[in-house]
Amino acid sequence: MVQTRKNAHGAPPQRRNTEGPVRTSLDHLPEAKRRELSRIVEILFAEFGDALTGKTAPHRKAGRILKVVLYGSYARGDWVQDPIGGYTSDYDLLVVVNHEELADLAEYWGPADDHLLRAYQISRELTAPSHFIVHALSDVNRQLKRGRPFFTDIIKDGVALYEAPDHPFDAPQPLSPEEARHEAQGYFEQWFESAENFRQLAVDGARREMLKESAFLLHQATERLYHCLLLVLTLYSPKSHKLNFLRSQAERVAPQLIEAWPRDSRFAQRSWELLRRAYVDARYSPHYRITPDELAWLIERVGVLQRLVEQACAARLAPDAATPA
């Protein structure tokens, strides 16, 4: 259900609002999923309000959430919840704010991210992980005018969970296939080569029994592969080092990438968790431990991911490939 804000920082009351090009109906979702999405919006508003407390700069004191838009599989209606195979679609949300600085994730949105993680893993308020990106309305409208496929897809397929009045999205503009392919080719050349360099360094590190260093390098290879895929296919990738988030975004646009990471065994789940944690813990934590078997498995799976990313990018960059919608 679309919501309209009651005040600057408080949780918004339930109210339907049909303004703007984005759909507003959640009738395709079960009632339990609608309740979870309402709870996610409440958490976002509450944590953002807390983050603004005590701020004195005018744009901070007047900080507002203008829109919360659900996109991806739950917006389209093709989400997956497979407890046997271990795969669950994530809730994906675009949060739109009224000033560029308020989109700074580290400054304003870390507690909201932590709260949503606890709601899924600890309190079990949510039955699926939730991830969000934050952009200023001016930035989103710039992206729409440039024809960025990621943002035009949100306009086409997204569902507004909350909209403030009188802050519409601009109409998306077309992007020529030649422009899109040229930009995507540049992204592929930059990011795929970088990913391969880190993967090779990780393999060399494993041979020298530098296990923690190799794990960190594999994290970097994986991160770059996901950025490569997203930039080539959508001309957009979120500024994030979080592999869970990047994996969910990449698998949303290229479901064949799910094959890279089996989720049906404790060994696979633990190994992925070690890779996810390696960005920080492999460098700084004396308690981080990874076995040669776990590292070898990760090297193998990153190789699979690399192959799948290369195939998906090659299909997108082919001369007869269609421009992303």
Side-chain angles (χ1 to χ4, degrees):
M1 180 179 292
V2 174
Q3 301 171 331
T4 301
R5 283 178 63 182
K6 177 175 61 178
N7 53 47
H9 309 316
Q14 301 285 329
R15 180 173 146 192
R16 184 166 294 278
N17 181 351
T18 58
E19 178 181 310
V22 182
R23 293 184 296 131
T24 60
S25 174
L26 289 175
D27 291 345
H28 63 289
L29 293 180
E31 179 59 31
K33 293 293 184 182
R34 296 185 218 174
R35 286 196 300 269
E36 290 186 25
L37 288 167
S38 180
R39 178 59 180 146
I40 290 170
V41 173
E42 290 177 4
I43 290 171
L44 290 169
F45 269 84
E47 295 292 357
F48 181 62
D50 287 347
L52 293 179
T53 300
K55 304 296 185 184
T56 57
H59 65 272
R60 294 178 180 178
K61 292 173 66 176
R64 297 179 62 196
I65 295 175
L66 301 180
K67 300 175 186 289
V68 180
V69 182
L70 176 71
Y71 66 93
S73 59
Y74 280 100
R76 295 189 305 268
D78 57 1
W79 76 93
V80 175
Q81 198 150 2
D82 178 13
I84 296 176
Y87 181 80
T88 300
S89 296
D90 298 350
Y91 294 121
D92 295 308
L93 300 107
L94 166 65
V95 180
V96 181
V97 293
N98 65 330
H99 194 280
E100 296 274 359
E101 184 187 317
L102 301 176
D104 188 314
L105 295 177
E107 180 75 16
Y108 296 98
W109 297 98
D113 193 34
D114 291 342
H115 193 157
L116 291 172
L117 182 63
R118 293 195 307 272
Y120 172 62
Q121 293 186 342
I122 307 301
S123 67
R124 304 294 183 184
E125 292 179 79
L126 305 177
T127 58
S130 54
H131 300 293
F132 63 91
I133 58 174
V134 185
H135 286 268
L137 180 61
S138 58
D139 184 29
V140 175
N141 283 334
R142 277 196 302 272
Q143 303 294 343
L144 292 171
K145 289 177 181 177
R146 295 176 64 204
R148 303 296 89 179
F150 175 82
F151 292 96
T152 59
D153 281 351
I154 290 179
I155 296 297
K156 182 179 70 174
D157 299 326
V159 179
L161 305 180
Y162 164 73
E163 290 187 282
D166 303 320
H167 292 87
F169 287 134
D170 288 343
Q173 299 300 309
L175 179 69
S176 75
E178 294 77 16
E179 290 175 315
R181 190 172 295 108
H182 177 75
E183 186 173 341
Q185 182 67 48
Y187 287 135
F188 179 78
E189 292 171 0
Q190 174 187 352
W191 288 91
F192 194 81
E193 180 180 358
S194 177
E196 169 60 8
N197 290 340
F198 275 97
R199 191 192 69 82
Q200 287 287 357
L201 289 171
V203 171
D204 292 342
R207 292 192 186 115
R208 298 168 60 187
E209 299 183 351
M210 299 166 59
L211 304 186
K212 294 171 69 170
E213 292 82 356
S214 182
F216 169 74
L217 293 166
L218 282 178
H219 179 287
Q220 294 297 287
T222 305
E223 178 185 327
R224 282 160 171 75
L225 286 169
Y226 283 136
H227 283 304
C228 178
L229 184 283
L230 290 166
L231 287 164
V232 171
L233 269 60
T234 74
L235 308 184
Y236 170 83
S237 187
K239 296 176 182 178
S240 176
H241 301 291
K242 296 181 178 181
L243 290 192
N244 279 350
F245 179 39
L246 293 173
R247 180 173 72 170
S248 75
Q249 297 300 294
E251 291 175 351
R252 178 179 60 83
V253 298
Q256 63 268 35
L257 268 59
I258 295 172
E259 174 193 337
W261 301 107
R263 295 152 164 94
D264 56 356
S265 73
R266 289 187 178 181
F267 177 83
Q269 293 170 3
R270 169 177 164 75
S271 297
W272 168 263
E273 181 66 12
L274 287 168
L275 180 64
R276 184 195 67 79
R277 289 172 44 210
Y279 180 70
V280 175
D281 290 354
R283 291 184 291 168
Y284 303 119
S285 174
H287 306 294
Y288 183 89
R289 297 286 186 274
I290 186 168
T291 68
D293 286 345
E294 291 163 341
L295 187 61
W297 187 85
L298 288 174
I299 289 173
E300 175 195 346
R301 301 319 301 176
V302 172
V304 173
L305 177 66
Q306 183 181 39
R307 171 177 56 81
L308 295 171
V309 166
E310 186 173 25
Q311 291 172 353
C313 290
R316 169 66 190 91
L317 295 170
D320 57 348
T323 302

